[in-house]
Amino acid sequence: MSPDDVVPDAPATGETSWFCCGSAWGPCGATGHGACGTCNSGSRQCAWPNTSDACFSITRPDRCGEDLLRRTCGHTFFVRNLCRTTEIAVTIADCGPQTDLWCGEQSCCSGSCASNRILDLTPSAFSAIGNLSSGIIPMAVHS
């Protein structure tokens, strides 16, 4: 069984922010296409901090107490804003966020809170579940 065949028993909760990649879209100018080479701000994609050993050595979610499974480029996640019921599918297109820079950071809404940035979404994906101007939202993610 490969690591991609393992499905977590429960969703991981944490914070998500957004980042620009690929072609110009919305608030983003043109930029690189991410670690997977496929990232595009106008697509529903994400960055995950454990896509490879090299990625993990930079992002270090373990330093914040996060035990995140290895997921590689193209893997599909389902993401839900904890403040809403909307859930979207996103695919991994980059490495990130650098979780260890924000250990203990917390965002809340209506009594639902989450800590530690464990996912970055493209603007297209983030705007499907939240307002870009909020910058960071609490979310649940599962495979």
Side-chain angles (χ1 to χ4, degrees), residues 84-101:
R84 299 180 179 180
T85 58
T86 306
E87 183 173 272
I88 61 167
V90 295
T91 57
I92 296 175
D94 203 354
C95 167
Q98 191 171 344
T99 304
D100 68 343
L101 294 179

Side-chain angles (χ1 to χ4, degrees), residues 1 15 18 24 30-31 33-34 49-50 58 61 67 70 91 97 100 105 108 110 112 115 117 119 121 127 137:
M1 180 181 281
E15 296 178 308
W18 59 273
T31 185
H33 289 281
N50 193 6
I58 296 167
D67 184 22
R70 172 73 41 93
T91 57
D100 68 343
E105 177 185 70
C108 302
S110 305
S112 294
S115 298
R117 291 188 201 179
L119 193 71
L121 297 173
S127 62
I137 55 174

Side-chain angles (χ1 to χ4, degrees), residues 22-132:
S23 304
W25 188 89
C28 300
T31 185
H33 289 281
C36 302
T38 59
C39 198
N40 189 353
S41 294
S43 298
R44 289 188 178 178
Q45 296 175 315
C46 69
W48 181 247
N50 193 6
T51 60
S52 66
D53 287 341
C55 176
F56 187 83
S57 71
I58 296 167
T59 62
R60 296 306 303 265
D62 59 314
R63 291 183 179 157
C64 300
E66 300 291 344
D67 184 22
L68 303 175
L69 295 174
R70 172 73 41 93
R71 298 292 189 222
T72 57
C73 296
H75 179 82
T76 298
F77 282 122
F78 298 93
V79 182
R80 181 179 53 87
N81 180 338
L82 292 180
C83 309
R84 299 180 179 180
T85 58
T86 306
E87 183 173 272
I88 61 167
V90 295
T91 57
I92 296 175
D94 203 354
C95 167
Q98 191 171 344
T99 304
D100 68 343
L101 294 179
W102 298 287
C103 289
E105 177 185 70
Q106 186 179 65
S107 59
C108 302
C109 60
S110 305
S112 294
C113 298
S115 298
N116 303 328
R117 291 188 201 179
I118 62 170
L119 193 71
D120 270 344
L121 297 173
T122 58
S124 175
F126 193 97
S127 62
I129 62 169
N131 187 328
L132 287 175

